[in-house]
Amino acid sequence: MKHRSLVLGLGLALTVSLPAFAKTIDIAIGHQSMCTDTYMAGIVVKELQLLEKHLPTEGAYADVTYNISWSDYTSGGPITNQMLANKLNIGVMGDYPLIVNGAKFQETESLRTLYVAGTGYNLKGSGNAVVVPVASDIYSFDDLKGKAVSTPVGSAAWGMLLKALQDSDIGVEQISLRNQSPAVGAANIAAGKIDAHADFCPWSELMEFRGTGRKIYDGSETGVPYLHGVVVREDFAQEYPEVVTAFVKAVIDAGDWIKADPLNAVEQMEKWTGVEKEVLYIYFSKGGHLTLDPTIKDEWVEALKLDHSVLEREQAIPPLDFDAWITEDFVKAAYAEMDLDYAADKAAVIDPADANAGLPNEIWHARDGISTYGTMPEFLKAVAEFEATGAKLNATYVYDMETGLKLFGKTAFFVHTPDGGYETFMRKPEADAYAAEAGGEVIDMADAVAAFAPTD
């Protein structure tokens, strides 16, 4: 894999990159507090002041004052617009917005951005999803033909929707595509004013948790990894390379903080973002959707190139020179300065189907916290006993048999087999197929739990 290698002079005297007269460095960052996969380079870095911890303060930076500003956006598109207007130096966004960012900058005569680090990924592509109202009779993506479907145009979910349409027998012209922000789309799903809404993390899980929406298509079905990352204006990176490296160090610290205590992390992030901790847990817990990883893997470059081809087919996106856009210089420098093994982390790829095999199901008790259960009967029996006492349960978690992805128990489709076993599925078509093969019955969690209700 060939990437652009900047002559950054990271090990040279700082006076080469920093004008002697500079006393204040403005660092303007665009992030998304309602997009979980950006938290590692966004809200966590901001609230824990991790960037401040790593900013250079010696040599030519000894007398510098840093003016750090954070701007919150609903999707990646507006961040790119603000970067083009030179109002933001750094942006954090998902895969398709990243592609648009790089291409739009390269379309100009002189402006450029650099893709400098990742934030997290799901190898299966989960994070984006298509949701319908809970009362809808739509259970399959193919049922969307002729329906009104909304999405935040320009977002990662929009790209996923285009890819799904290209892979199906439904063309874009065969749905009524509407541009709606995540909050508007979720509200319209709750009110039954739209047939379906495609959105990015964590909006589909928010709708599931709040009981307003039901997932009919998961991004894992595209077969393309779902990833987020950091882009920096090239002029800023060339002038202050040490600052960009400091930002990547902060990203690494943020990931370590989350992984050290996921439960505490989601409780803190709920306070910062307003996203329910039970929803955040489905992303950041062990077995969760999101693998925190700042490395730039060969597989990610190929995935981004595929994403670009999807947009080329539908939107006439400008060309993108990936070799000029992607650089590992900053993330490698951050790893080296923190005495971490970049090659090892870059080589590691987590597949939920393998990593989550055998993980216990979980119950989040409002008072006692999270408890785990190695078998489904033990899990269902515990839920039944809790419910019999009137205990408040924040959430329950099971795993999709097909992908290994963590699910809310209440939204999963359970298949009860003749031998008394249970398997859980994200989508009804897969549950139906498995039930037919195994001679089982598709039921919901309430029915599964009812079989274990205590008897007087």
Side-chain angles (χ1 to χ4, degrees):
M1 174 175 59
K2 178 185 177 184
H3 295 319
R4 176 187 180 97
S5 179
L6 298 178
V7 183
L8 298 175
L10 293 175
L12 301 180
L14 296 178
T15 53
V16 173
S17 60
L18 185 65
F21 57 82
K23 296 299 181 183
T24 299
I25 298 177
D26 294 322
I27 309 172
I29 306 159
H31 72 116
Q32 303 172 62
S33 67
M34 292 299 293
C35 178
T36 48
D37 290 14
T38 68
Y39 286 6
M40 188 176 164
I43 196 68
V44 175
V45 173
K46 174 180 181 286
E47 294 296 333
L48 297 182
Q49 297 186 332
L50 298 176
L51 177 56
E52 289 86 337
K53 169 185 171 183
H54 291 290
L55 285 170
T57 58
E58 298 179 351
Y61 290 97
D63 297 322
V64 162
T65 298
Y66 292 105
N67 178 31
I68 303 171
S69 61
W70 293 85
S71 299
D72 195 355
Y73 296 89
T74 59
S75 62
I79 295 177
T80 290
N81 293 338
Q82 294 299 298
M83 292 181 75
L84 281 165
N86 202 21
K87 294 181 179 180
L88 294 174
N89 312 116
I90 301 171
V92 192
M93 59 190 77
D95 40 24
Y96 284 96
L98 286 168
I99 291 292
V100 173
N101 179 283
K104 279 192 172 183
F105 268 84
Q106 288 187 8
E107 190 179 28
T108 71
E109 291 186 4
S110 60
L111 301 178
R112 297 291 185 270
T113 54
L114 299 171
Y115 176 46
V116 300
T119 60
Y121 69 90
N122 182 280
L123 183 65
K124 296 296 186 180
S126 191
N128 296 312
V130 180
V131 174
V132 299
V134 288
S136 172
D137 59 359
I138 296 175
Y139 285 90
S140 168
F141 188 86
D142 292 336
D143 295 336
L144 295 179
K145 187 174 182 178
K147 303 297 185 181
V149 183
S150 66
T151 190
V153 170
S155 71
W158 163 73
M160 174 213 65
L161 180 62
L162 294 179
K163 177 69 165 62
L165 290 168
Q166 291 174 6
D167 291 345
S168 73
D169 294 329
I170 309 172
V172 175
E173 70 282 354
Q174 293 179 293
I175 65 169
S176 176
L177 183 60
R178 303 178 186 178
N179 183 12
Q180 291 182 343
S181 70
V184 171
N188 285 336
I189 286 291
K193 293 183 178 180
I194 193 81
D195 294 313
H197 179 68
D199 222 324
F200 51 81
C201 54
W203 285 93
S204 59
E205 288 79 21
L206 270 176
M207 288 181 269
E208 287 181 321
F209 182 72
R210 295 172 181 175
T212 60
R214 173 170 45 80
K215 192 182 296 186
I216 64 160
Y217 185 91
D218 185 78
S220 59
E221 295 175 67
T222 65
V224 181
Y226 178 49
L227 56 116
H228 286 63
V230 180
V231 282
V232 182
R233 277 184 58 118
E234 185 180 53
D235 52 0
F236 183 85
Q238 289 177 337
E239 189 168 11
Y240 308 119
E242 298 84 5
V243 172
V244 178
T245 300
F247 187 84
V248 178
K249 288 182 181 179
V251 173
I252 295 170
D253 272 356
D256 289 343
W257 177 78
I258 294 169
K259 288 182 283 189
D261 191 345
L263 185 56
N264 172 67
V266 300
E267 289 173 342
Q268 292 300 313
M269 288 188 283
E270 179 186 50
K271 296 174 183 177
W272 299 335
T273 67
V275 179
E276 288 91 331
K277 59 184 180 296
E278 296 85 359
V279 174
L280 296 174
Y281 190 78
I282 220 168
Y283 278 89
F284 295 106
S285 60
K286 182 176 177 59
H289 289 196
L290 183 58
T291 301
L292 303 177
D293 188 341
T295 65
I296 301 176
K297 305 179 191 297
D298 295 4
E299 297 92 334
W300 298 175
V301 179
E302 294 308 309
L304 290 168
K305 288 180 177 178
L306 178 60
D307 294 342
H308 186 267
S309 71
V310 170
L311 299 186
E312 278 187 313
R313 288 178 58 182
E314 299 289 350
Q315 300 294 325
I317 189 175
L320 177 58
D321 182 343
F322 283 83
D323 288 340
W325 180 53
I326 297 174
T327 174
E328 295 180 275
D329 289 355
F330 299 99
V331 65
K332 284 183 175 180
Y335 264 73
E337 292 177 20
M338 299 175 78
D339 294 323
L340 301 173
D341 190 339
Y342 182 76
D345 280 3
K346 178 176 177 174
V349 178
I350 304 301
D351 184 339
D354 298 328
N356 295 355
L359 287 184
N361 302 303
E362 296 170 294
I363 298 174
W364 192 335
H365 189 285
R367 185 193 64 221
D368 299 333
I370 294 172
S371 52
T372 59
Y373 301 87
T375 70
M376 186 60 70
E378 290 173 333
F379 166 78
L380 294 172
K381 182 174 182 290
V383 174
E385 290 174 349
F386 278 132
E387 291 182 349
T389 65
K392 183 180 185 303
L393 302 182
N394 288 353
T396 58
Y397 303 96
V398 298
Y399 292 89
D400 177 40
M401 184 180 181
E402 295 284 318
T403 63
L405 294 170
K406 181 171 282 190
L407 313 173
F408 289 119
K410 69 177 183 179
T411 65
F413 295 93
F414 286 68
V415 175
H416 186 205
T417 55
D419 61 0
Y422 292 86
E423 299 292 349
T424 47
F425 294 83
M426 177 192 305
R427 298 175 64 252
K428 192 172 187 295
E430 283 80 6
D432 287 338
Y434 182 80
E437 180 181 348
E441 176 188 12
V442 179
I443 58 178
D444 61 17
M445 182 172 168
D447 287 338
V449 170
F452 291 85
T455 57
D456 293 335

